[in-house]
Amino acid sequence: MRYTLLILFLLSSYFVSKAQVSDKPEMRAVWIATVKNIDFPSYAKLTVDEQKKEFTDMLDKFSDVGINAIMFQVRPAADAFFPSEFEPWSEWLTGKQGKAPEPYYDPLEFMIEECHKRNIEFHAWINPFRAVATIEFADIAENHITKTKPEWFFTYDINKYFDPGIPEVRNYVRDIIVDIVKRYDIDGVHFDDYFYPYPKRDSYNRIMKIPDNKTFQKYKGEFEDIADWRRNNMDLFIEEVNKGIKKADPNMVFGVAPSGVWRNKSQDPDGSNTRALAHYDYLYSDVIAWLRNGWIDYVAPQLYWPIGHKYADYKTLVDWWSKHTYGKHLYIGHAVYRTGKDASSATWRNPNEIPNQIRIIRENPNVNGSIFYKAKSLTENRLGLLDSLKNNFYAIHVQTPEMPWLKQIDTTIIANNTDNNSQQDTSDNLEMIPVEILTQKLGNKIVLSWKTDIDTSQKKEHIYNVYKFRKYDFKYADENDIFKTTKQDFIVIKRKRFKIFRKEYKFVVTFVDKSGNESSGSNEISIKL
């Protein structure tokens, strides 16, 4: 009886594990916040070498568990983690706003390169309208925009904000974003939930008014309601940013991570069955309109409530957002920072809360992945979440999901013949794919490698898909058969220890360019694993 129970336990554990593992492309991202040194760098006065090591150590940990993208905050408060002609170096990078790193380096260029080495996408997270965070303690450089253009700003609570109602402000922020897209090999532009400021209360517990009435009177046009005017300002801004980004790079991904509730059903029949702060009404941003009009490529609502919450149930919100994507991607933001042994509620002390949230979104075909906040909470392996990702949910490394509406046919890629002596057309506009797959035994592992005729500069902008299948030819394979994606020209595969349990698999490698165009397969090779 004891052995029977043991076998049943092992079998159940096996099938539970299989149910958690997914080999489909999905977003597996982490937010890395730089404002006030929340995530990186841990201390503003780290040396350049210490900064680099801290960042690469973080990336190594993420790469190991299957994370395939980061949302890195490159512009936290009208400042920059990169050399910019518009704004000064961030105080959270060097300890003093306007001071460049010493010895000099470009942190953004370095971070993008390190991400791409590990097959991790780099999305530039930008806070568009926060200009000064915590005015009392801020270190403001003389060339900061709040000093050179003071008429562009208003103060609300303890922060200073750009006034989005001023057309020149919207154009200024758009130009900064387009400049980043043009100068750096980023994979996406990302906004979080901050547009107009979150409502704050004064000492009398009254909601403070946003001091933009003068701007409203000057620029209101036909609008009589200030709330509608503010939302229109945001619509104009998002549309213009999207146009600028796509003009600079038609394949550039643009997404927004709003707070978790668009509108409550009590406010709008189309709203969710919730009772929480609505992004539409309090931050004056109609994210659904942005999706409907195709101005953003994905939405990543921050669903920072647990399953079963009486005012904002996680599962209810996942279901609602999944029905309002208008053909664009949906990623779910998870509140890892709220979890832990010392969390304020029993729910967030439960090690199964985030894993169960991941299970829920994987059951919904309209959800395309997850983003975790914050990076430091994830690297701390709170309640074993990092282990769960590595050993279960993200055990098979995958690429981010393709966005077909972005695909631009900018190059023709031809397949290599299985006959290595055959000639191929190498004329202009054609690129070679893997020439030959090789295998090498390494103890209980197999090194699968491939040779290419592609120069190093071209490789930086491409990836390889490694397909694994058994009973059919490669021509019948689909994305579900992708075993791994990588920028390297090899992978290491672990085999079962006992030969009796090994099965034969076929492997094929394809070449994928930056626009998502995929070549035909290389020669097949069979391996017993």
Side-chain angles (χ1 to χ4, degrees):
M1 181 65 178
R2 182 171 57 187
Y3 294 109
T4 303
L5 290 173
L6 177 60
I7 291 171
L8 288 173
F9 171 76
L10 291 173
L11 284 172
S12 65
S13 298
Y14 170 79
F15 286 114
V16 168
S17 177
K18 289 289 284 184
Q20 294 176 163
V21 174
S22 173
D23 58 3
K24 294 181 179 180
E26 66 178 349
M27 179 63 73
R28 302 171 175 179
V30 181
W31 277 294
I32 301 179
T34 58
V35 63
K36 301 180 181 179
N37 300 112
I38 289 175
D39 286 319
F40 175 85
S42 59
Y43 177 56
K45 295 184 180 180
L46 292 180
T47 66
V48 166
D49 287 342
E50 288 170 337
Q51 285 179 5
K52 289 181 176 180
K53 185 178 187 306
E54 189 170 85
F55 185 76
T56 55
D57 285 350
M58 188 187 304
L59 281 192
D60 287 340
K61 189 167 287 190
F62 291 155
S63 176
D64 183 51
V65 304
I67 295 297
N68 58 20
I70 64 169
M71 311 299 179
F72 186 93
Q73 194 174 37
V74 300
R75 181 183 181 265
D79 54 1
F81 270 66
F82 56 95
S84 171
E85 65 177 270
F86 296 94
E87 294 174 327
W89 288 96
S90 175
E91 65 177 293
W92 297 299
L93 178 70
T94 62
K96 182 173 180 59
Q97 192 174 84
K99 180 183 177 183
E102 296 179 7
Y104 182 86
Y105 83 116
D106 184 338
L108 183 50
E109 184 177 27
F110 169 78
M111 291 185 291
I112 293 169
E113 184 176 345
E114 292 300 318
C115 281
H116 289 172
K117 281 181 184 177
R118 295 161 176 81
N119 201 26
I120 293 175
E121 291 186 359
F122 187 100
H123 293 242
W125 169 15
I126 292 157
N127 190 290
F129 299 116
R130 181 172 58 209
V132 179
T134 315
I135 296 170
E136 183 181 356
F137 303 107
D139 175 25
I140 306 300
E142 287 303 313
N143 64 337
H144 193 260
I145 192 69
T146 55
K147 291 189 175 182
T148 60
K149 291 282 187 179
E151 67 276 13
W152 282 5
F153 302 90
F154 60 73
T155 298
Y156 187 80
D157 193 34
I158 61 173
N159 301 321
K160 187 169 287 190
Y161 297 89
F162 284 92
D163 189 337
I166 302 173
E168 291 83 2
V169 162
R170 299 193 297 269
N171 293 339
Y172 171 82
V173 179
R174 177 203 60 201
D175 290 347
I176 288 173
I177 295 164
V178 172
D179 176 61
I180 296 171
V181 172
K182 287 181 176 179
R183 291 169 52 207
Y184 292 96
D185 187 24
I186 61 173
D187 299 289
V189 171
H190 178 82
F191 292 167
D192 56 5
D193 50 326
Y194 290 96
F195 292 96
Y196 276 92
Y198 271 90
K200 299 290 184 181
R201 294 185 180 272
D202 61 21
S203 57
Y204 297 100
N205 202 33
R206 298 171 302 193
I207 293 179
M208 299 168 60
K209 292 183 179 180
I210 298 173
D212 63 346
N213 189 60
K214 287 184 179 179
T215 310
F216 173 57
Q217 296 302 325
K218 184 176 181 178
Y219 294 104
K220 69 177 184 178
E222 297 180 356
F223 285 95
E224 295 299 329
D225 183 84
I226 195 169
D228 290 339
W229 172 76
R230 288 171 181 162
R231 277 185 287 271
N232 185 65
N233 293 332
M234 291 298 96
D235 289 349
L236 292 172
F237 173 68
I238 294 295
E239 183 180 14
E240 286 302 310
V241 168
N242 180 61
K243 286 180 180 178
I245 288 172
K246 295 302 193 285
K247 184 178 180 181
D249 184 348
N251 303 306
M252 184 58 58
V253 174
F254 178 33
V256 175
S259 56
V261 173
W262 173 68
R263 299 196 85 187
N264 300 290
K265 191 176 285 291
S266 61
Q267 299 163 310
D268 190 311
D270 292 331
S272 54
N273 189 20
T274 51
R275 286 180 288 168
L277 183 144
H279 204 86
Y280 178 98
D281 296 281
Y282 289 97
L283 285 89
Y284 306 99
S285 301
D286 189 356
V287 183
I288 297 302
W290 305 345
L291 287 164
R292 189 188 301 116
N293 290 313
W295 297 336
I296 57 176
D297 300 302
Y298 69 84
V299 64
Q302 299 173 32
L303 302 192
Y304 291 173
W305 300 275
I307 300 165
H309 192 280
K310 65 179 180 178
Y311 297 129
D313 170 49
Y314 174 85
K315 191 170 184 178
T316 297
L317 283 164
V318 169
D319 181 65
W320 187 90
W321 281 101
S322 73
K323 295 173 181 175
H324 295 81
T325 61
Y326 296 91
K328 302 303 183 183
H329 281 183
L330 170 62
Y331 312 136
I332 300 299
H334 301 276
V336 183
Y337 77 102
R338 289 190 170 177
T339 67
K341 294 179 180 178
D342 300 322
S344 58
S345 71
T347 304
W348 291 118
R349 292 194 293 272
N350 180 1
N352 292 317
E353 178 62 32
I354 300 293
N356 285 339
Q357 291 185 3
I358 298 173
R359 293 185 183 98
I360 287 172
I361 66 173
R362 281 191 171 170
E363 291 171 358
N364 191 315
N366 289 333
V367 183
N368 307 95
S370 299
I371 310 180
F372 301 99
Y373 183 77
K374 55 189 176 172
K376 189 174 291 184
S377 302
L378 191 61
T379 57
E380 289 170 354
N381 195 22
R382 293 191 181 185
L383 301 180
L385 178 59
L386 211 60
D387 296 331
S388 293
L389 297 181
K390 178 179 180 178
N391 299 320
N392 295 305
F393 296 103
Y394 296 171
I396 298 175
H397 292 204
V398 300
Q399 64 187 39
T400 58
E402 183 181 323
M403 295 179 174
W405 59 90
L406 287 184
K407 182 178 288 189
Q408 304 291 319
I409 307 300
D410 59 1
T411 185
T412 303
I413 303 178
I414 59 175
N416 177 52
N417 272 316
T418 54
D419 179 3
N420 293 328
N421 295 319
S422 65
Q423 297 295 314
Q424 289 189 325
D425 183 358
T426 57
S427 60
D428 291 343
N429 300 322
L430 296 179
E431 297 186 22
M432 306 295 289
I433 69 154
V435 173
E436 182 183 9
I437 300 180
L438 306 171
T439 61
Q440 178 183 355
K441 292 182 180 179
L442 185 66
N444 197 40
K445 299 176 182 177
I446 292 289
V447 178
L448 183 69
S449 61
W450 44 93
K451 296 179 180 179
T452 69
D453 287 339
I454 305 165
D455 63 49
T456 304
S457 63
Q458 287 178 301
K459 283 184 180 181
K460 288 181 180 179
E461 297 187 354
H462 298 75
I463 62 171
Y464 300 104
N465 281 339
V466 182
Y467 287 81
K468 173 186 172 186
F469 49 96
R470 291 195 65 199
K471 297 181 179 179
Y472 47 80
D473 294 329
F474 172 69
K475 64 182 179 180
Y476 299 113
D478 59 32
E479 64 181 21
N480 294 328
D481 297 299
I482 295 176
F483 174 65
K484 194 165 186 177
T485 63
T486 179
K487 281 185 175 290
Q488 306 293 334
D489 52 8
F490 71 93
I491 61 171
V492 180
I493 310 170
K494 189 175 182 180
R495 298 197 295 178
K496 291 182 178 178
R497 184 176 298 277
F498 300 107
K499 292 183 179 180
I500 192 172
F501 295 122
R502 293 176 185 169
K503 296 179 181 179
E504 187 171 290
Y505 294 91
K506 299 176 185 177
F507 288 85
V508 167
V509 178
T510 63
F511 191 56
V512 184
D513 72 8
K514 189 178 180 183
S515 300
N517 303 308
E518 184 172 21
S519 72
S520 300
S522 64
N523 57 300
E524 291 184 4
I525 196 163
S526 296
I527 305 174
K528 285 190 174 182
L529 299 178

